[in-house]
Amino acid sequence: MAEAPVFDAHADSIGRALDLGHDLGRSGPGHLDLERGRQGGLGAWVVVCWVDPVLYRDRPFERASAMLDATRDLARRHPARFRLVRNGRELAQAQADGCIAGIPGMEGGHPLEGSLEKLQHFFERGLRVLTLVWNNHLPWVRSCRPEAPAGTPAGLSDFGRQVVRELNRLGVVVDLSHAGDRSFYDALETSTQPVIASHSGCRSLHDHPRNLDDPQLRALADQGGVCGIVFYPSFLDAEACAEDNRLRDTPGFRALRAESEAELFLERQRYLTRESTPLPAARLVQHIEHAVEVAGIDHVGLGSDFDGIECGPQWIEDASCYPILAELLVQRGFGIDDVRKVLGGNMRRVFEQVTAR
Ligand SMILES: [Zn+2]
């Protein structure tokens, strides 16, 4: 599989570099760094800037900018191994030069602070994937979470539609993971480009609001888009979800303390990785198989959510493990070309198409 680079549409690891000063050029704690990415055949990584909406309530734009700075800093420190790319041509060149291609992404539109000028600013600084909304509802887009403040639109507001049109115009991939169902269809209806759900599972296998149901998978595919299947056990499996909720309520989990939010997250990663019943990797494969069955082989990819989640399924523990997933797909009867599409080809196609300006 060495010649089939992986495209991971969603991984959060850059927060470790910014908040803890970790050099992601070296293996360390957490799930993804350049070393383990290389071992796992990672060819393209959407470097997600996620801004905690509570911690940075008053300055999401500033925080997102700092995360973009950290992403650029990683590229500056490791020019032979990691390069930021703006389009399909640059992505292909980076991979040909043996670099992991970094694609700046943003999870949630709150750092736009309601301004298309700020979107333009982020675009100029390299942004190429925008997840419209995270779990916090915005005045212009409803998230998939149940309670929303008064005044939240049912789906996208007029401004929300303007954001989608502007993303199309600039050449930024629209990502609908975390979006409410109505927001999902409003965005699809508005977008003239294929869209992705960067890190979601299949609702028909686990009825969770973060997953897509079959009509959503078909609608995404009809427009040429791709669903990146997430590695998070809580989204893949009802029992794993129940156990995770239970573990978060134990005295051991509640007693975890650390100097910073970023350290605390690593503590939680260690705790839940140790205490959880490992979810068989076959469950992840089932979600991929179901999505392929419903959406077609050209419309399924990967979005691990590494370092945004505490642990992945058994054997798929970090960014060195994508080849194990490839092997499991082969064992289930996927042909080599189909494995390549799921591991990277499909996401790369959408990225190339949307960013070709
Ligand atoms: Zn997410």
Side-chain angles (χ1 to χ4, degrees):
M1 286 292 148
E3 72 286 12
V6 173
F7 189 126
D8 193 328
H10 198 94
D12 279 285
S13 321
I14 200 68
R16 277 201 334 273
L18 176 60
D19 292 328
L20 301 173
H22 290 180
D23 179 4
L24 299 186
R26 284 200 299 266
S27 262
H31 298 148
L32 188 151
D33 46 60
L34 302 184
E35 193 49 45
R36 284 179 288 175
R38 188 193 55 77
Q39 289 166 18
L42 183 62
W45 162 27
V46 177
V47 185
V48 175
C49 300
W50 170 74
V51 173
D52 187 319
V54 176
L55 220 51
Y56 301 97
R57 182 190 303 276
D58 303 325
R59 46 190 179 100
F61 173 82
E62 187 188 314
R63 171 68 177 174
S65 300
M67 297 193 91
L68 278 175
D69 287 345
T71 306
R72 289 154 82 113
D73 188 54
L74 182 64
R76 222 173 2 248
R77 287 161 79 150
H78 301 285
R81 296 195 286 154
F82 179 70
R83 189 184 300 165
L84 296 184
V85 301
R86 294 172 293 188
N87 52 47
R89 190 177 41 76
E90 292 185 358
L91 182 143
Q93 189 60 52
Q95 291 184 350
D97 293 342
C99 288
I100 294 173
I103 299 164
M106 191 175 290
E107 185 168 23
H110 43 300
L112 304 184
E113 299 182 347
S115 152
L116 294 180
E117 286 72 34
K118 284 180 175 158
L119 173 57
Q120 172 84 33
H121 168 90
F122 284 129
F123 170 77
E124 284 164 11
R125 302 208 56 223
L127 183 76
R128 289 298 180 273
V129 179
L130 178 69
T131 315
L132 292 183
V133 64
W134 186 66
N135 293 337
N136 54 318
H137 303 273
L138 300 179
W140 49 272
V141 52
R142 179 176 289 253
S143 130
C144 67
R145 292 288 160 188
E147 311 82 22
T152 304
L156 293 187
S157 70
D158 288 345
F159 178 75
R161 289 180 187 270
Q162 254 180 291
V163 170
V164 170
R165 282 191 285 269
E166 185 65 359
L167 292 169
N168 285 168
R169 187 186 72 80
L170 291 168
V172 176
V173 178
V174 175
D175 174 13
L176 299 178
S177 281
H178 289 275
D181 288 354
R182 178 75 183 274
S183 305
F184 177 94
Y185 285 108
D186 284 354
L188 266 190
E189 182 191 279
T190 308
S191 180
T192 57
Q193 292 285 338
V195 305
I196 64 170
S198 65
H199 60 305
S200 293
C202 301
R203 211 178 281 177
S204 73
L205 298 187
H206 174 29
D207 188 6
H208 191 289
R210 278 283 288 100
N211 291 338
L212 302 187
D213 63 19
D214 290 356
Q216 285 178 307
L217 286 168
R218 278 187 213 104
L220 203 64
D222 284 347
Q223 205 153 324
V226 176
C227 179
I229 300 297
V230 69
F231 293 4
Y232 192 34
S234 281
F235 296 163
L236 298 175
D237 189 84
E239 269 179 47
C241 187
E243 184 188 55
D244 184 73
N245 288 336
R246 205 162 53 237
L247 285 171
R248 285 172 195 271
D249 209 24
T250 55
F253 185 86
R254 286 168 169 276
L256 295 174
R257 294 284 181 274
E259 303 239 312
S260 65
E261 281 295 318
E263 274 294 354
L264 184 59
F265 185 76
L266 288 177
E267 288 298 325
R268 290 174 171 166
Q269 270 189 341
R270 290 182 197 107
Y271 184 89
L272 292 173
T273 303
R274 194 177 62 233
E275 300 294 327
S276 306
T277 311
L279 180 72
R283 186 63 176 163
L284 169 59
V285 172
Q286 283 173 2
H287 279 256
I288 293 172
E289 286 185 292
H290 180 83
V292 166
E293 205 173 295
V294 173
I297 188 63
D298 294 318
H299 304 285
V300 181
L302 302 180
S304 64
D305 209 359
F306 276 145
D307 289 316
I309 61 178
E310 285 85 0
C311 54
Q314 192 175 28
W315 306 335
I316 317 289
E317 288 140 11
D318 61 38
S320 69
C321 301
Y322 305 108
I324 297 171
L325 179 56
E327 186 53 41
L328 291 171
L329 290 171
V330 170
Q331 284 174 17
R332 288 292 300 169
F334 279 68
I336 294 295
D337 287 345
D338 289 350
V339 173
R340 285 188 180 135
K341 285 180 178 183
V342 171
L343 258 67
N346 291 333
M347 279 292 178
R348 195 173 64 236
R349 181 193 73 234
V350 172
F351 176 74
E352 277 170 7
Q353 182 175 338
V354 173
T355 58
R357 316 262 98 193

